[in-house]
Amino acid sequence: MTSPSPNSNFNSYFGAHRTSTLTTVLTAFGTLIATYYAYKIFSFLYLFIFHRSTISRYLQPAITPAASSTSKHRSWALITGASDGIGRAFAHELAFEGFNIILHGRSPTKLAAVETALKAQYPHISTRLFVLDAYPCSAPAIDEYVRDLAKDGLCISVLVNNIGGGSLVSPTFRPLTHLAVAEVQKLFDLNVGFPTLLTRALLPIMQEPTLVLNLGSFVSHIPGPWLTVYAGSKAFNMSWSRSLGLELRAEGKDVEVMGLVVGEVQSAGHPGPVGPVMCSSRTLARSALDKVGCGRHTVAPWWRHAVILALVMRLPDALLNWSMMRTTRGLMEEEKRMLEVDKRNL
Ligand SMILES: NC(=O)c1ccc[n+]([C@@H]2O[C@H](COP(=O)([O-])OP(=O)(O)OC[C@H]3O[C@@H](n4cnc5c(N)ncnc54)[C@H](OP(=O)(O)O)[C@@H]3O)[C@@H](O)[C@H]2O)c1
């Protein structure tokens, strides 16, 4: 029988040592990954199940109700693009909370119809109309309107920058070079210019605590082809929300700015049946108000949109790009077919 050589003892000692070091590193790595995903799942569950909205922070009771007013609260919410779709839904949800509502839009008739419906359903609120075409976007017109609001001394504590969209030009899906200059300008004005200039003018006269909600889109996180200006402008909305929120916090202001990452929502601009991935405008608005106070600068308010976004964002880039090209090409062809049918039916 041969006794083990000192060399083989040495090798097996260091081999075992290497194995145990590797096991320790892998265990630590596994624990880190598990902790990361546990945290992600916990914060998702917290946001969508346990978080309680702090929207009532922005609602001040009326001090001495004027004889002419039936309003129980003196706080106002201004909603842009409130004559239809998600904007109109926000108007209803905020009126339900007790806010007096300023409805912005370009059509006095459509706005008056929304106002009548609001007054019938929520007799204890006051309403005002802000009629201004956001295209071409006029800074002097915005400033003048805000000066008038300041003179009236309204206590505006909520601003919903809802106006915008990709379908504001038709066809929606087009190569950049096929967009007329005026169409590019329109997409900029409605998605970027108007919300930025309105917020700039309004913030100094808004009552603290203040809430600013900015409507974004999935395309800001997952941009596809043939939607370049819309996707870029929605990415601006999200980056701008975060930057503005941080700036105001750094300046010690009590202003909550939240960018809303929105997937498919049934609206005038995006008709279609409500289903597993498309919610109603009311559901979207309610879900967004439920997230107020969650501490995030951007949030996908509807839980199904949040799940879709979280899963899609984890796909490898090459797969995501390939699927975006395929999906958007399908949408572009579908839109072409629909527009031809519309033309024939004219
Ligand atoms: N619906 C979706 O699936 C979806 C998905 C992602 C993001 N979003 C975002 O959500 C927001 C609202 O979308 P939506 O689908 O609810 O839109 P919508 O149904 O088309 O409603 C748009 C609103 O903006 C108003 N508007 C349009 N052009 C205007 C102008 N030049 N001046 C003043 N007002 C004007 C419309 O007024 P009129 O009634 O006079 O036309 C209407 O009140 C947008 O920012 C959009 O990008 C929507």
Side-chain angles (χ1 to χ4, degrees):
M1 213 174 99
T2 53
S3 59
S5 73
N7 236 355
S8 79
N9 274 345
F10 179 85
N11 283 343
S12 68
Y13 172 77
F14 279 100
H17 187 67
R18 255 203 310 269
T19 312
S20 83
T21 309
L22 188 66
T23 313
T24 311
V25 169
L26 286 178
T27 310
F29 193 58
T31 310
L32 272 179
I33 292 176
T35 311
Y36 172 78
Y37 281 104
Y39 169 75
K40 285 275 175 197
I41 292 169
F42 173 77
S43 50
F44 182 88
L45 292 177
Y46 179 79
L47 181 64
F48 287 95
I49 300 175
F50 301 113
H51 170 71
R52 291 288 158 260
S53 172
T54 58
I55 186 71
S56 55
R57 273 189 82 221
Y58 303 98
L59 197 58
Q60 309 288 331
I63 306 168
T64 45
S68 59
S69 164
T70 52
S71 308
K72 286 185 178 166
H73 300 102
R74 63 190 167 105
S75 305
W76 287 76
L78 193 162
I79 302 130
T80 67
S83 58
D84 225 322
I86 299 173
R88 183 175 58 183
F90 266 108
H92 277 269
E93 291 297 337
L94 285 161
F96 171 78
E97 293 290 338
F99 286 90
N100 304 301
I101 304 289
I102 303 175
L103 299 158
H104 162 263
R106 60 182 162 177
S107 156
T109 323
K110 281 186 82 172
L111 286 175
V114 178
E115 185 178 42
T116 308
L118 279 181
K119 283 197 163 148
Q121 227 173 324
Y122 313 100
H124 293 299
I125 64 151
S126 300
T127 52
R128 279 186 170 214
L129 302 187
F130 170 20
V131 184
L132 180 67
D133 199 327
Y135 174 73
C137 176
S138 156
I142 293 173
D143 289 347
E144 190 189 329
Y145 177 74
V146 172
R147 264 196 307 275
D148 288 347
L149 282 181
K151 271 189 219 142
D152 293 348
L154 292 196
C155 165
I156 304 170
S157 56
V158 176
L159 168 63
V160 183
N161 282 312
N162 161 74
I163 203 170
S167 58
L168 299 167
V169 295
S170 177
T172 303
F173 299 96
R174 263 184 290 169
L176 176 64
T177 50
H178 291 201
L179 285 168
V181 172
E183 290 174 315
V184 173
Q185 193 59 51
K186 185 174 187 183
L187 288 168
F188 277 150
D189 276 9
L190 295 175
N191 289 297
V192 174
F194 191 73
T196 309
L197 292 174
L198 180 65
T199 309
R200 173 193 163 276
L202 206 60
L203 268 177
I205 68 152
M206 287 181 81
Q207 184 78 31
E208 285 188 34
T210 313
L211 173 67
V212 180
L213 299 178
N214 298 319
L215 269 284
S217 163
F218 270 16
V219 296
S220 54
H221 288 59
I222 346 167
W226 304 297
L227 270 179
T228 50
V229 181
Y230 177 55
S233 61
K234 285 295 168 190
F236 169 90
N237 290 159
M238 294 303 95
S239 170
W240 177 66
S241 294
R242 195 186 179 107
S243 177
L244 183 65
L246 293 176
E247 173 181 305
L248 293 164
R249 197 203 297 173
E251 289 183 352
K253 308 255 168 66
D254 191 354
V255 183
E256 177 177 357
V257 184
M258 196 157 68
L260 305 172
V261 189
V262 177
E264 283 199 282
V265 180
Q266 185 192 51
S267 71
H270 193 73
V274 165
V277 297
M278 192 196 277
C279 65
S280 70
S281 289
R282 284 297 285 270
T283 301
L284 192 276
R286 185 67 258 160
S287 309
L289 297 185
D290 285 346
K291 304 301 165 299
V292 170
C294 71
R296 300 185 185 196
H297 289 290
T298 56
V299 69
W302 190 42
W303 72 272
R304 289 193 203 169
H305 286 164
V307 171
I308 295 167
L309 194 65
L311 294 177
V312 169
M313 296 290 285
R314 269 160 192 76
L315 290 176
D317 256 9
L319 182 59
L320 187 56
N321 291 343
W322 172 81
S323 88
M324 281 311 286
M325 283 193 277
R326 226 180 114 88
T327 312
T328 321
R329 189 186 292 281
L331 291 171
M332 181 165 66
E333 279 161 9
E334 173 69 12
E335 185 184 36
K336 242 185 229 163
R337 266 195 302 277
M338 303 287 283
L339 287 173
E340 270 157 27
V341 171
D342 285 353
K343 233 189 245 169
R344 258 183 268 131
N345 290 343
L346 271 181

